[in-house]
Amino acid sequence: MSPAEKRSPLFHQLVVYLLFLILLLPLLGTLVYSLSTSWSATILPSGFTFKWYVALWSDARFLAAFGRSLLVCIAALALALLLILPLLFVVNYHFPKLDGVMNVLILLPFAIPPVVSSVGLMQLFASGPLPILGTPWILIGCYFTIALPFMYRAITNNLQAINLRDLMDAAHLLGASTWRAAFMVVLPNLRKGLMVSVFLSFSFLFGEFVFANLLVGSRYETLQVYLYNMRNDSGHFTSALVISYFMFVLLMTWAANRLNKDKS
Amino acid sequence: MSYLNIRGLHKSYGTTNIFTDINIEIGKGQFITLLGPSGCGKSTLLRCIAGLTAVDGGQILLGGEDLVPVAPQKRGIGMVFQSYALFPNMTVQQNVAFGLRMQKVPAAEASKRVAEVLELVELSDYADRYPQQLSGGQCQRAALARSLVTRPRLLLLDEPLSALDARIRKHLREQIRAIQRELGLTTIFVTHDQEEALVLSDRIVLMNGGQIVQSGDAETLYTAPADAFAAGFIGNYNLLDAEAASRLLLRPVNSRVAIRPEAIQIAAQGIEGRILGHSLLGNVIRYRIEARGVELTVDVLNRSAADLHAAGQAVNLTIDNHAIREVA
């Protein structure tokens, strides 16, 4: 064995840890900052306290913003699920050729920068038959389009992994209607793809700022807009907000992972 | 009186004919094999009988009732797929019970029937496993149990053994046949494997290009192929054109000739030939022999290594006269 090979595991570990540290450093800094009484002219914070968290979690405006973010995300995801599941089923079962069209369609939200599309959306929904600019409705609709690609891809992969046609045929011959077969045989097998895509989209949407700020802004203050409006306040306070937000998303992801592992 | 009567069945996709004017009669309790190369329409025909694919014309009479307008759920047909098509989210027990749940069979009776059928396919110990925890052979037995438990009027098997390895395949095909006999179940089996077809079937329906080439028992299909396609598909026939056949047999022949490789013997005298090479198939040695400018395949029982003829050796051949078949 050459010396280079002997050294390699340690070297590789070192690189990984270093990368991890670099990625974690800003977060760690924020965490420490959110816990310190004051930390400006000294190398280390002068003292530790939970007061910023207490202040944050007892602020009615924060709680309202948190609730709004949660509501908008959940509504958008529910809408996406409600539409995507039947859509995917129809595309994969009846019109497999449509998959190509869908693949182009789901790329659109990525192709257009949020700033550009939000200007378009503002024009479209400021007046006219559907004046929903500034209301949560426009945000729900907009977030739906963002969640669509994630969910479509994840669930399509999941659908292709199971042999949809044969499973449906088998269920039909055993006496199940298409509806029953879809609910009893297909849906349970999509659980994994569903969970992954829902939680992925959720953590992404929960932190979305550009659309939220431009389309509704302070008229329907979501978490990120609230953070933005608080930018001139104490840095310790906003740090506490960032850490709280991060912990919440982390918790959701962990829960999703747990739920997924339990049954498989 | 036939039990299943397929009359003038026709199916096409656009301008492509999948099969045309298919007529098959099957007696109750018979085991029929649809045999043919891939793309010959045999699988589509099976799906049409099941009701999974709509037909363009014709009748499928099962016990006198025309199935064509009946939904697949109501046909009372069981089917086993090449891909098993077991529901991954259910255990073997739940998979098998699915059909009974759909029929709203009371739970007590259902669990009794599931236990019986799992016993029949020797899977009782695996009832609580999920499909991904089973081997291919076990999966296919579970799928078989699932299609049997509803007591179908007709059992369809769509290349059920093709995804399995050779040893399991042989064992399972015997098991399928034994169960089919025990239950007296009318069965249609689709395969592209001639050996499977010959071993299993009461009757073989040989298909090519969307048409039935020949229909008969294994013996007839093997010894009396209807045409060159049948001869080429079943067995390892020597197919000679008229000119080569005339040269070999030293008499004028007007059509193509098919000769089975085991109908040619290496003997003390006869047609002079020379060994080109051989391959060992186990109990049979398959020689390539050149005789009168014609290359022949000759099968000889592998009795002992001492009998083996080396390449280049001169031999004499005799051909059973009744085994020489003129085919169109």
Side-chain angles (χ1 to χ4, degrees):
Chain A
M1 198 189 269
S2 72
E5 278 175 53
K6 248 185 197 169
R7 206 179 43 215
S8 70
L10 189 71
F11 174 68
H12 288 166
Q13 279 178 5
L14 211 70
V15 169
V16 170
Y17 284 131
L18 199 71
L19 194 73
F20 205 58
L21 194 73
I22 291 171
L23 287 172
L24 221 59
L25 210 57
L27 200 69
L28 276 175
T30 315
L31 177 69
V32 175
Y33 199 69
S34 73
L35 287 170
S36 48
T37 46
S38 84
W39 189 14
S40 43
T42 50
I43 293 178
L44 288 173
S46 46
F48 291 106
T49 176
F50 273 111
K51 73 172 181 191
W52 306 114
Y53 284 94
V54 175
L56 178 73
W57 284 93
S58 52
D59 180 6
R61 195 172 153 202
F62 162 74
L63 290 175
F66 192 91
R68 286 190 202 110
S69 271
L70 216 59
L71 190 73
V72 168
C73 285
I74 290 171
L77 289 176
L79 181 67
L81 270 184
L82 213 67
L83 257 148
I84 279 181
L85 277 176
L87 173 81
L88 264 168
F89 186 77
V90 169
V91 167
N92 277 280
Y93 189 57
H94 293 291
F95 308 103
K97 279 181 193 157
L98 275 183
D99 193 46
V101 180
M102 284 307 296
N103 276 327
V104 176
L105 215 70
I106 61 164
L107 276 179
L108 283 180
F110 289 119
I112 304 165
V115 176
V116 176
S117 62
S118 59
V119 169
L121 287 171
M122 278 157 81
Q123 298 249 332
L124 199 63
F125 292 109
S127 57
L130 218 60
I132 52 171
L133 190 70
T135 68
W137 300 112
I138 191 166
L139 213 52
I140 291 172
C142 177
Y143 280 3
F144 160 74
T145 63
I146 300 175
L148 196 80
F150 289 115
M151 303 186 88
Y152 188 85
R153 267 275 62 90
I155 302 172
T156 304
N157 291 345
N158 208 179
L159 265 176
Q160 277 157 1
I162 64 170
N163 197 335
L164 180 67
R165 183 157 292 279
D166 278 359
L167 289 186
M168 287 300 290
D169 285 347
H172 279 154
L173 283 175
L174 290 167
S177 65
T178 302
W179 275 105
R180 290 198 84 174
F183 273 104
M184 294 180 69
V185 175
V186 180
L187 205 58
N189 290 306
L190 297 183
R191 197 174 51 88
K192 200 157 195 158
L194 275 176
M195 292 290 255
V196 170
S197 60
V198 163
F199 281 99
L200 194 72
S201 326
F202 183 85
S203 24
F204 179 79
L205 292 178
F206 201 62
E208 204 283 329
F209 173 67
V210 178
F211 282 117
N213 191 42
L214 287 175
L215 294 178
V216 278
S218 298
R219 278 166 290 179
Y220 191 78
E221 198 175 55
T222 62
L223 198 60
Q224 299 306 91
V225 177
Y226 172 72
L227 175 62
Y228 177 72
N229 290 340
M230 286 289 138
R231 69 194 179 280
N232 293 327
D233 247 49
S234 156
H236 296 288
F237 185 76
T238 43
S239 294
L241 204 169
V242 168
I243 294 296
S244 299
Y245 159 75
F246 179 78
M247 290 310 280
F248 180 71
V249 170
L250 197 70
L251 207 74
M252 292 282 291
T253 317
W254 175 78
N257 257 324
R258 275 298 297 274
L259 275 173
N260 250 338
K261 265 183 202 149
D262 272 355
K263 279 190 186 167
S264 56
Chain B
M1 173 67 191
S2 59
Y3 178 60
L4 179 69
N5 200 339
I6 296 170
R7 284 189 198 156
L9 212 61
H10 175 78
K11 174 73 191 171
S12 59
Y13 287 116
T15 52
T16 319
N17 277 335
I18 306 299
F19 51 76
T20 37
D21 196 29
I22 296 289
N23 294 287
I24 303 174
E25 285 190 24
I26 302 173
K28 202 170 170 76
Q30 272 197 321
F31 192 107
I32 302 291
T33 298
L34 297 179
L35 175 68
S38 50
C40 74
K42 57 189 192 301
S43 279
T44 311
L45 177 57
L46 202 70
R47 293 179 58 85
C48 287
I49 297 171
L52 300 170
T53 301
V55 295
D56 297 332
Q59 281 185 311
I60 304 167
L61 298 169
L62 183 65
E65 175 203 8
D66 188 9
L67 290 183
V68 170
V70 180
Q73 287 91 338
K74 300 256 152 64
R75 291 194 182 194
I77 289 177
M79 184 159 169
V80 172
F81 298 81
Q82 185 182 347
S83 67
Y84 321 133
L86 289 171
F87 308 135
N89 54 316
M90 301 181 196
T91 61
V92 169
Q93 206 268 340
Q94 290 165 333
N95 261 285
V96 175
F98 186 84
L100 299 177
R101 254 174 93 187
M102 293 301 117
Q103 291 181 357
K104 299 195 169 62
V105 173
E109 194 202 331
S111 67
K112 189 170 141 273
R113 274 166 71 177
V114 169
E116 273 171 16
V117 76
L118 284 178
E119 183 82 19
L120 191 67
V121 298
E122 296 166 16
L123 273 183
S124 300
D125 297 340
Y126 297 88
D128 295 325
R129 298 262 190 115
Y130 284 92
Q132 60 266 31
Q133 298 169 314
L134 300 179
S135 70
Q138 290 165 340
C139 278
Q140 203 53 295
R141 268 146 58 199
L144 182 66
R146 185 178 65 177
S147 62
L148 291 176
V149 78
T150 52
R151 294 175 188 151
R153 297 190 282 171
L154 182 66
L155 180 65
L156 307 177
L157 306 163
D158 188 8
E159 308 214 17
L161 307 173
S162 300
L164 303 172
D165 63 58
R167 204 174 52 85
I168 308 271
R169 200 181 317 170
K170 281 191 178 160
H171 178 70
L172 188 53
R173 78 181 180 204
E174 276 154 28
Q175 208 176 2
I176 288 176
R177 184 62 159 136
I179 289 170
Q180 181 267 338
R181 280 215 175 96
E182 191 180 324
L183 303 178
L185 206 55
T186 313
T187 303
I188 305 178
F189 180 86
V190 162
T191 185
H192 58 259
D193 181 342
Q194 51 132 335
E195 189 194 322
E196 261 171 37
L198 292 172
V199 170
L200 285 173
S201 324
D202 289 321
R203 192 150 60 86
I204 298 170
V205 175
L206 182 65
M207 290 181 67
N208 186 35
Q211 264 159 354
I212 295 176
V213 175
Q214 191 175 2
S215 166
D217 60 18
E219 182 74 13
T220 313
L221 247 82
Y222 189 71
T223 56
D227 64 6
F229 169 79
F233 197 79
I234 295 188
N236 289 282
Y237 271 85
N238 291 293
L239 267 175
L240 310 177
D241 57 33
E243 188 257 334
S246 309
R247 204 158 8 112
L248 180 72
L249 303 170
L250 298 176
R251 60 178 167 87
V253 180
N254 296 322
S255 70
R256 288 213 277 176
V257 163
I259 308 169
R260 275 183 287 134
E262 66 273 23
I264 308 174
Q265 278 103 37
I266 296 177
Q269 51 197 1
I271 305 164
E272 285 175 11
R274 197 168 52 83
I275 306 269
L276 295 175
H278 75 270
S279 50
L280 187 65
L281 306 181
N283 59 337
V284 165
I285 305 167
R286 178 160 294 165
Y287 289 104
R288 285 187 301 118
I289 298 178
E290 188 263 349
R292 292 176 184 158
V294 181
E295 191 181 319
L296 296 168
T297 304
V298 177
D299 281 358
V300 175
L301 256 185
N302 185 9
R303 290 184 199 279
S304 87
D307 292 343
L308 196 66
H309 300 282
Q313 197 177 329
V315 288
N316 293 306
L317 303 175
T318 57
I319 302 174
D320 300 344
N321 246 324
H322 60 85
I324 300 169
R325 286 198 60 85
E326 294 188 4
V327 290

